[in-house]
Amino acid sequence: MKKRLIFFSLLIFVILFNKIILSKLIIISFEKWINKEININNFDISYKKKELSLSDVVINDKDNSNNDIFKAEKITINLNLKSLFTKLIIIENIEVQKPILYIKFDISKKKDQFIKDNLGITKNYKNKSNPKIYPKKIVDINFLVMTSSIENLKINIERSDSNDIESLTLSNLYFKKFGNEKGYRHYKDIFKLILFEITMKITDQELKKIIKKNYYAK
């Protein structure tokens, strides 16, 4: 029993104070949660501030690493360090600077009948009516973001049927208590709120009509 206690204490010490190991674990966890590939140019950890600083962040489609979904010049994350060794990781605050979101709508020939997006929002709606049954996990670790802010979000919108690209900029956005923990707003619902703001600004009236029909008439 004593040997096990010493072993786990040493393991926690190595993980907690080895920034490379901890940064890798955090990135892998986020990739698993959002089912996307994450690339970061610089990952800095300040234990004193309980803060992660990520520079030149790029999120790609897992099936196509050349398909950028999101970019940000800098993301600052304040963590509850004690929660790193629990089943629920608490993120106290996230600040996103100079973000760019790339949205692609795959529209069928029957333009008013079907739509799919690269963010997975449509897939999320389908899963609500016919939820996927996942095998029971030995350890199920979730995350919860207490507060977040996104500064001047730039958005590039592309239609697959015409390859037209429209660029928009949203004002600062603020969100509270979301993640993938039961009982709280799901992080994909945040995308829906952002999509609502985008819809109000889109000049492509046909696309606006398609979005409203497929996302808000449910």
Side-chain angles (χ1 to χ4, degrees):
M1 184 69 182
K2 188 176 180 181
K3 289 182 179 180
R4 285 185 180 181
L5 183 62
I6 293 171
F7 172 76
F8 283 113
S9 297
L10 286 173
L11 181 63
I12 291 171
F13 179 83
V14 170
I15 293 174
L16 188 59
F17 291 96
N18 189 310
K19 294 185 178 182
I20 295 175
I21 294 175
L22 185 56
S23 64
K24 290 292 183 183
L25 285 174
I26 291 170
I27 292 172
I28 290 169
S29 296
F30 272 106
E31 285 182 328
K32 185 178 179 181
W33 286 328
I34 66 175
N35 196 31
K36 298 288 186 292
E37 183 179 297
I38 302 173
N39 294 290
I40 300 169
N41 185 43
N42 185 49
F43 194 125
D44 186 50
I45 301 174
S46 173
Y47 294 113
K48 186 177 181 180
K49 294 180 181 179
K50 300 178 183 178
E51 182 179 280
L52 310 178
S53 180
L54 289 60
S55 300
D56 300 323
V57 180
V58 179
I59 298 177
N60 304 115
D61 192 322
K62 204 169 185 180
D63 298 324
N64 183 2
S65 59
N66 294 320
N67 186 9
D68 293 341
I69 293 175
F70 178 83
K71 289 182 179 180
E73 185 175 286
K74 186 176 181 181
I75 299 178
T76 304
I77 302 173
N78 295 102
L79 282 171
N80 181 328
L81 292 179
K82 291 181 181 178
S83 72
L84 291 177
F85 302 99
T86 69
K87 293 181 180 180
L88 178 62
I89 295 179
I90 304 294
I91 300 170
E92 300 291 353
N93 185 53
I94 298 178
E95 292 182 7
V96 185
Q97 299 176 19
K98 295 186 178 181
I100 304 174
L101 181 64
Y102 301 88
I103 304 178
K104 184 174 181 180
F105 294 102
D106 292 325
I107 303 172
S108 69
K109 293 179 181 179
K110 294 181 180 180
K111 296 180 181 179
D112 61 341
Q113 296 297 320
F114 176 75
I115 187 172
K116 184 174 72 173
D117 63 84
N118 62 337
L119 300 180
I121 302 174
T122 306
K123 186 177 180 181
N124 191 46
Y125 279 127
K126 290 178 181 178
N127 288 341
K128 283 184 178 179
S129 59
N130 185 24
K132 184 177 179 180
I133 300 174
Y134 293 94
K136 190 173 181 180
K137 300 176 183 177
I138 298 174
V139 179
D140 192 9
I141 300 175
N142 292 335
F143 74 98
L144 177 64
V145 179
M146 303 306 291
T147 61
S148 68
S149 62
I150 304 175
E151 299 179 2
N152 297 317
L153 176 60
K154 292 184 179 179
I155 300 156
N156 290 331
I157 304 165
E158 181 181 354
R159 293 179 56 155
S160 63
D161 56 335
S162 64
N163 292 322
D164 290 338
I165 298 176
E166 183 171 353
S167 297
L168 304 170
T169 301
L170 300 184
S171 55
N172 293 349
L173 301 170
Y174 303 93
F175 302 103
K176 290 184 178 181
K177 293 185 179 180
F178 66 91
N180 62 350
E181 175 73 358
K182 287 183 179 180
Y184 294 92
R185 178 183 288 172
H186 197 275
Y187 69 88
K188 285 187 179 179
D189 290 332
I190 299 298
F191 292 147
K192 183 185 173 183
L193 292 174
I194 293 173
L195 186 62
F196 178 80
E197 294 290 329
I198 294 169
T199 306
M200 297 299 102
K201 291 193 173 187
I202 289 176
T203 59
D204 186 335
Q205 295 303 312
E206 183 186 46
L207 180 58
K208 183 179 287 190
K209 190 182 294 183
I210 294 171
I211 292 172
K212 285 182 177 179
K213 179 174 181 179
N214 286 271
Y215 292 95
Y216 302 112
K218 296 184 183 290

